Amino acid sequence: MSVPTSARVVIIGGGVIGCSVAYHLAKKGWTDVVLMERKRMTSGTTWHAAGLIGQLRASSTMTKLAKYSADLYINLEAETGIATGLRQNGSISVALTGERREELLRSASMARAFGVPVEDITAAEVKEKYPYLETKDVTHGVFLPTDGQGDPANIALALAKGARQNGALTLEGVKVTGITRDGDRVTGVDWETEKGESGHTACDHVVIASGMWGREVGRMAGVNIPLQACEHFYIVTEAIENLPNLPVLRVPDECAYYKEDAGKILLGAFEPVAKPWGMGGIPDSFEFDQLPEDFDHFEPILEQAVERFPVLAEAGIHTFFNGPESFTPDDAYHLGLVPGTENIWVAAGFNSIGIQSAGGAGMALAEWMTNGVKPFDIGSVDIARMQPFQNNRRYLVERSVETLGLLYADHYPYRQKATARGVRRTPFHAHMLERGGVMGETAGWERANWFAHEGQEREYRYTWGRQNWFANSAAEHMAVRENVGMYDMSSFGKIRVEGPDAEAVLNKVAGADMTVPAGKIVYSQFLNENGGIEADVTVTRLSETVYLVVTPAATRPADQDRIRRAAGDARVVITDVTAGEGVLAVMGPKARDVLQSVSPDDFDAFQFGSAREIEIGMGLARAHRVSYVGELGWELYMSSDMAGHVFEVLEEAGRGFDMKLVGLHAMDSLRIEKAFRHFGHDITPEDHVIDAGLGFAVKT
């Protein structure tokens, strides 16, 4: 079959994800859909996936996508004639500790809220459903009757056939060797075949669905797709006599999952310390390949499994398998339009849940590509959440050691990543550490979340109840509410928008009116076409032609890209200046007294919602009278070179007012107390700005 010279969209990668995207685009009536697979379909990681189909995810949107996948696979066989092997035999997760029991109970409550059938079951009921299991130390179980398992390769092949039935072209043995761009747009792909032919296909869109090759293909297009391959281990036993059809079983406290398949048991693991693979690049010849066995690495999992599942001791091992899977820095996959581009799309990095996610992810991406807007809130997997530095090879290798194991770790609230830390530090980082700051990490930024007392351990002790920092944070909260506190908010994103058309561009993207005098601060939201909230920001007009947009650290790339798209050909320059300024917030009833003691400026006459330059100590700062904690206070912006001096001047002055250093956990509890919204938790793109109670921030 010849390779066409033009296409509406080229999908790079013939695994289950690429096949799903092709299927859904073709179903939506897209013509000239071309999927290019370098070797054979499914030959990367899809073919060796475990094929578990779980429906309950961490949010209602992700659960909706997983449920869509399961429903789609049920009907695919009738549509295409290819057996998907889907069995809704249910799944059981068991707890061996009180903490895990609490997590399972919470997840069951969430399942009910999301409309997923779920049953809480006792250890005896677990034993009844899974008679081979040792349950003497099982504290609780959760059974999801509509979960199941399927044949990964056949699911992908059925999606590919469904795509072809609707006019798509799927090509094997065609490797993309280059991606051509004209500014923000891809114009086509270069390719070569296994027969030595080469050519170029012009296209309107490119979808990178290249799995563990995603980072390299992204670099070919000049974009960042941070992911890292890791080794994933499982064994398959010899046939076990009279083995019934069993539910999928997960024992996360032992890092293990079990699947009955054709009278055998598959035992897989998500071990706490993973093994990254392919650091020097994935071999060009890789196709249906296995990685070398590492029985020593897998042995601790197997030893526990034999105790948990005694029949394993009698059944021989038929297969010891080690194959790669791709993992992202935060264990959430990459989906959507790449920031800084107009037509490069991504669906990759599925963290070992590719089969259960593929149907929904393909549907969501096809909707977005067709309609030009996200179909619903997909912020947790939107590729725009990734920071540019996260594509660094060393960072990815170090973080991936942890992320695979986090799939089955206790998912405690406030849990911080332990690996690949210390990459981004505010100008006050050393000051915070010296004074007992206990750091968390957001978007690579190290941030003091709470402050330990003298002699107190400076680390988190996680639990589902009150954690070890609760009393510390409560005291910090009360200091701001009743006296005065100071915290570091330098990590918040700072986007400078300047030029003759800056006002018009921001009026286009934000709900509030930016036609204000210099020195005025405007609280606003970036809104989508439905009035949904895409960002929650403050915008300060610094001069006639310059604005400063302040936004959460994690959403800065996405918010900056939204401004860029709105700008089009307007006369503006949009710059990330986050690292250029340190920011200290001085908040509380005595905030004015502290600042007045170190500055000759008049803080009595300083109006709320305004910003101006002040003298402070022997330096300069720009003071913004605005508050995310609902108390009297100012945010002080100073160039990074003066940050240390300003901190020390304020700290010294604060001693006379019993000022307390405050962490970001306290900032969060303070803003909750005042009912201030937090993007991603309280408000999302699915929430209309009026329904969210933010109509006051909109110029209608």
Side-chain angles (χ1 to χ4, degrees):
M1 189 177 294
S2 61
V3 182
T5 57
S6 65
R8 185 175 178 188
V9 57
V10 171
I11 300 164
I12 306 172
V16 69
I17 308 300
C19 292
S20 179
V21 174
Y23 172 88
H24 285 93
L25 286 175
K27 279 279 194 178
K28 285 200 157 293
W30 281 49
T31 55
D32 299 326
V33 174
V34 178
L35 183 151
M36 297 183 181
E37 162 56 42
R38 57 189 285 277
K39 295 290 186 181
R40 306 281 84 74
M41 306 290 275
T42 79
S43 65
T45 61
T46 296
W47 71 279
H48 64 70
L52 310 185
I53 314 290
Q55 296 175 80
L56 180 59
R57 307 305 305 157
S59 70
S60 59
T61 297
M62 293 299 104
T63 300
K64 180 165 62 177
L65 294 180
K67 285 177 66 178
Y68 174 89
S69 295
D71 294 341
L72 172 67
Y73 301 159
I74 290 172
N75 299 315
L76 262 183
E77 187 168 337
E79 181 182 343
T80 66
I82 296 178
T84 59
L86 189 74
R87 285 193 286 153
Q88 286 190 301
N89 49 334
S91 75
I92 299 173
S93 294
V94 300
L96 308 182
T97 67
E99 293 285 291
R100 185 72 72 174
R101 178 178 181 274
E102 178 69 19
E103 180 174 335
L104 290 186
L105 287 169
R106 288 173 181 239
S107 69
S109 295
M110 194 164 66
R112 293 184 190 99
F114 296 165
V116 177
V118 62
E119 300 171 22
D120 294 324
I121 55 177
T122 64
E125 290 170 316
V126 170
K127 183 77 171 178
E128 191 178 306
K129 293 181 183 296
Y130 222 103
Y132 292 87
L133 198 67
E134 174 55 64
T135 58
K136 64 178 183 292
D137 56 345
V138 170
T139 62
H140 196 74
V142 166
F143 177 56
L144 286 91
T146 56
D147 278 1
Q149 61 194 63
D151 180 329
N154 273 12
I155 288 171
L157 294 175
L159 287 166
K161 184 175 179 181
R164 290 193 298 273
Q165 287 173 339
N166 287 279
L169 184 63
T170 61
L171 301 172
E172 294 183 308
V174 180
K175 179 183 177 182
V176 172
T177 57
I179 299 174
T180 56
R181 283 182 63 165
D182 180 8
D184 296 338
R185 298 191 64 83
V186 158
T187 57
V189 302
D190 300 320
W191 48 263
E192 61 183 31
T193 70
E194 291 177 319
K195 298 176 181 177
E197 302 162 328
S198 61
H200 179 82
T201 299
C203 60
D204 298 329
H205 299 269
V206 161
V207 178
I208 299 173
S210 311
M212 60 185 173
W213 288 272
R215 180 183 181 276
E216 283 65 39
V217 176
R219 288 176 67 84
M220 202 185 291
V223 298
N224 288 338
I225 305 175
L227 51 80
Q228 172 64 48
C230 288
E231 300 184 21
H232 180 53
F233 300 86
Y234 61 74
I235 63 164
V236 181
T237 68
E238 300 283 0
I240 297 172
E241 192 173 351
N242 299 322
L243 190 70
N245 178 11
L246 296 168
V248 172
L249 174 71
R250 296 177 178 87
V251 189
D253 292 309
E254 294 176 345
C255 312
Y257 63 87
Y258 302 81
K259 181 184 82 164
E260 179 274 323
D261 195 7
K264 303 172 183 178
I265 289 290
L266 181 151
L267 160 67
F270 292 106
E271 64 278 14
V273 180
K275 289 186 66 181
W277 178 76
M279 286 77 82
I282 298 166
D284 194 53
S285 59
F286 193 95
E287 179 185 12
F288 297 116
D289 283 355
Q290 298 186 39
L291 304 182
E293 293 182 5
D294 187 346
F295 198 78
D296 290 342
H297 186 79
F298 189 75
E299 191 172 21
I301 305 292
L302 182 58
E303 287 176 354
Q304 287 185 306
V306 169
E307 296 289 323
R308 182 66 48 203
F309 204 99
V311 74
L312 290 179
E314 303 163 18
I317 296 177
H318 178 272
T319 304
F320 183 98
F321 186 84
N322 178 13
E325 299 271 2
S326 59
F327 289 82
T328 64
D330 60 0
D331 264 342
Y333 54 84
H334 296 324
L335 193 73
L337 184 60
V338 177
T341 75
E342 298 299 327
N343 61 350
I344 303 178
W345 306 82
V346 174
F350 277 76
N351 305 285
S352 280
I353 59 166
I355 305 303
Q356 71 184 49
S357 305
M363 176 270 290
L365 192 67
E367 292 270 355
W368 190 352
M369 293 176 69
T370 301
N371 300 325
V373 294
K374 301 172 193 174
F376 32 73
D377 176 28
I378 61 165
S380 61
V381 295
D382 190 339
I383 182 67
R385 77 191 185 281
M386 287 287 109
Q387 308 292 316
F389 87 92
Q390 290 178 303
N391 215 28
N392 176 284
R393 286 193 188 94
R394 179 178 167 189
Y395 169 85
L396 287 169
V397 169
E398 292 195 13
R399 176 55 63 84
S400 65
V401 167
E402 179 182 19
T403 49
L404 180 146
L406 287 176
L407 291 175
Y408 276 9
D410 289 281
H411 299 93
Y412 292 118
Y414 303 103
R415 182 161 189 155
Q416 306 294 323
K417 300 289 194 302
T419 56
R421 294 289 299 271
V423 182
R424 308 175 84 180
R425 308 178 192 193
T426 79
F428 310 109
H429 180 78
H431 293 85
M432 297 295 165
L433 287 178
E434 288 167 5
R435 289 150 183 81
V438 181
M439 297 294 172
E441 181 250 343
T442 295
W445 285 103
E446 296 292 323
R447 317 201 298 181
N449 281 341
W450 57 282
F451 285 84
H453 303 309
E454 189 73 34
Q456 183 182 7
E457 64 175 353
R458 297 185 178 189
E459 59 183 79
Y460 282 84
R461 294 294 176 190
Y462 298 114
T463 174
W464 288 98
R466 287 186 175 178
Q467 297 185 4
N468 62 321
W469 49 267
F470 182 86
N472 302 65
S473 191
E476 295 164 19
H477 179 114
M478 295 308 294
V480 173
R481 193 203 289 179
E482 298 179 351
N483 187 47
V484 61
M486 180 168 72
Y487 56 91
D488 176 11
M489 53 180 293
S490 308
S491 62
F492 279 64
K494 297 181 276 292
I495 305 165
R496 189 176 171 98
V497 183
E498 54 190 313
D501 296 334
E503 178 184 301
V505 168
L506 287 171
N507 271 334
K508 183 177 179 182
V509 76
D513 187 1
M514 299 300 160
T515 309
V516 295
K520 181 67 177 171
I521 301 170
V522 181
Y523 172 56
S524 186
Q525 292 75 39
F526 292 174
L527 303 177
N528 58 34
E529 291 78 356
N530 299 316
I533 300 165
E534 295 285 348
D536 190 57
V537 301
T538 59
V539 182
T540 304
R541 188 164 201 166
L542 300 179
S543 73
E544 183 182 351
T545 58
V546 181
Y547 290 81
L548 184 73
V549 179
V550 177
T551 190
T555 64
R556 196 278 309 161
D559 298 341
Q560 185 169 335
D561 198 54
R562 178 165 285 272
I563 300 169
R564 182 194 66 83
R565 293 183 195 283
D569 297 327
R571 297 169 298 165
V572 292
V573 176
I574 304 159
T575 311
D576 172 24
V577 296
T578 306
E581 291 184 315
V583 186
L584 290 170
V586 181
M587 298 286 163
K590 294 184 181 177
R592 180 182 283 113
D593 301 330
V594 171
L595 291 172
Q596 199 66 78
S597 72
V598 295
S599 174
D601 290 83
D602 184 358
F603 286 87
D604 282 322
F606 206 129
Q607 289 189 333
F608 182 79
S610 65
R612 68 169 185 253
E613 190 173 88
I614 63 168
E615 295 180 22
I616 186 164
M618 293 181 289
L620 299 173
R622 192 178 62 256
H624 294 215
R625 190 174 165 198
V626 65
S627 174
Y628 191 44
V629 295
E631 305 293 345
L632 171 70
W634 283 262
E635 296 173 1
L636 305 176
Y637 292 71
M638 74 285 311
S639 59
S640 294
D641 57 331
M642 295 185 193
H645 170 69
V646 172
F647 178 92
E648 289 154 13
V649 165
L650 286 167
E651 183 182 50
E652 178 63 30
R655 291 192 180 102
F657 300 93
D658 197 25
M659 184 173 74
K660 203 171 187 63
L661 279 178
V662 172
L664 295 190
H665 288 333
M667 183 193 75
D668 196 41
S669 64
L670 285 157
R671 69 95 192 158
I672 290 172
E673 185 174 77
K674 298 298 191 294
F676 291 171
R677 314 300 192 265
H678 182 268
F679 184 75
H681 289 106
D682 310 309
I683 48 178
T684 74
E686 293 186 42
D687 295 305
H688 192 282
V689 66
I690 303 297
D691 296 338
L694 296 170
F696 66 89
V698 179
K699 171 78 171 178
T700 50

